[in-house]
Amino acid sequence: MKVRIVSGLIGSAFLIAALLAPPSILMLVVLAASLLAILEFRQAVQSVSRTVDPAVAMLMTFMLVGNSRYGNTAIAEDIRSLVASWNTGDATFWQAGVDALAWCFSGSAVRVVAFACIAWLFGRLIFQNDAFHLDDLAMTLTGVLYIPFLMSFVAQVRSMEHGAWLIWCIVIGAVITDTAAYFVGVTLGRHKLLPKVSPKKTVEGAIGGVVGSTLAMLVFGFIVPAQVQSAVAWYHFLILGILCGVVSQLGDWSASAIKRSAGIKDFGKLIPGHGGMLDRIDSILFVGPVVYLYLQAVVGL
């Protein structure tokens, strides 16, 4: 337990530092976490004699996470303006580099690379059918959609208007839900929720997770700066708290289902007492997209 607490505190400090850093730094953290997580996913499926094409997985991770940052036209313009302010003789060179980077991670480039990856996978299925099977192709595509695609929304939220504050909605939705569900489940849990997937989960714990997320998100909505409150009304934080409280646990249960199917306890040993990277971000994978899509589609940011 001591090791778990210490590593948890260190991890929390690192997470806070990443969230307070500029968007590009957070993007690099998301990229690193996604790469580690998809490699852990690959190792997990190998335990049931399946595989994930590592080249496709890593390439699509770079493309999807990079698109969440450099594929944004407004952000590319901000970077160009910054480079122009340097007043150096090499400004034209750096401007060209920014333009190239923005194109490489644009939506069009992502589609081209995605098509190339799919063609490559089916090529392997056709010409390497003794070593690469349909299940392997499916696992590769599942891993890409499950990890880097969903994680890319975290960087997207940070790049939104008021993103420096709204990114904390993801942390609240994932961490507070998990913490509240754990303590309520330990103290009041009586009815098993998903005994075949995660025997320790209880109905009481699940309800506690949603309530904890809702209350924490509502409090957060009242302490953010006035400009954020004017853009996102308090009741949006209330709704986000409920939604995140539900989908955060869905992410946790999904990871548990994968581990049970693969016959493993944890995805890795990267974080002492906590397992692998995928064990730590399983809830964030589902919370990030919900926060981004709600803020974009409903709030209009």
Side-chain angles (χ1 to χ4, degrees), residues 3-44:
V3 173
R4 181 181 177 88
I5 293 174
V6 171
S7 61
L9 291 174
I10 295 174
S12 298
F14 179 78
L15 174 62
I16 292 172
L19 293 174
L20 293 175
S24 294
I25 300 299
L26 179 62
M27 185 272 292
L28 293 176
V29 173
V30 171
L31 176 61
S34 299
L35 288 172
L36 288 171
I38 202 162
L39 290 176
E40 291 173 350
F41 178 79
R42 181 172 185 258
Q43 186 175 9

Side-chain angles (χ1 to χ4, degrees), residues 142-200:
T142 297
V144 169
L145 290 174
Y146 175 49
I147 299 171
F149 172 69
L150 295 182
M151 273 295 284
S152 68
F153 285 96
V154 175
Q156 289 274 32
V157 171
R158 181 63 179 85
S159 298
M160 299 178 78
E161 184 181 4
H162 309 302
W165 285 96
L166 296 175
I167 189 69
W168 292 95
C169 291
I170 297 177
V171 179
I172 293 171
V175 176
I176 299 300
T177 298
D178 182 59
T179 303
Y182 173 78
F183 283 107
V184 173
V186 169
T187 57
L188 302 176
R190 297 293 183 272
H191 302 86
K192 297 296 183 180
L193 180 62
L194 299 166
K196 293 184 178 180
V197 175
S198 187
K200 295 182 179 181

Side-chain angles (χ1 to χ4, degrees), residues 21-28 64-84 86 94-95 97-103 105-106 152-164 292 296:
S24 294
I25 300 299
L26 179 62
M27 185 272 292
L28 293 176
L64 289 169
V65 176
N67 172 256
S68 69
R69 176 65 185 159
Y70 294 111
N72 186 310
T73 304
I75 294 169
E77 290 297 333
D78 289 343
I79 298 175
R80 292 189 190 99
S81 298
L82 176 63
V83 172
W86 292 350
W94 289 107
Q95 292 280 10
V98 172
D99 290 339
L101 187 64
W103 183 87
F105 292 109
S106 66
S152 68
F153 285 96
V154 175
Q156 289 274 32
V157 171
R158 181 63 179 85
S159 298
M160 299 178 78
E161 184 181 4
H162 309 302
Y292 174 78
Q296 184 189 58

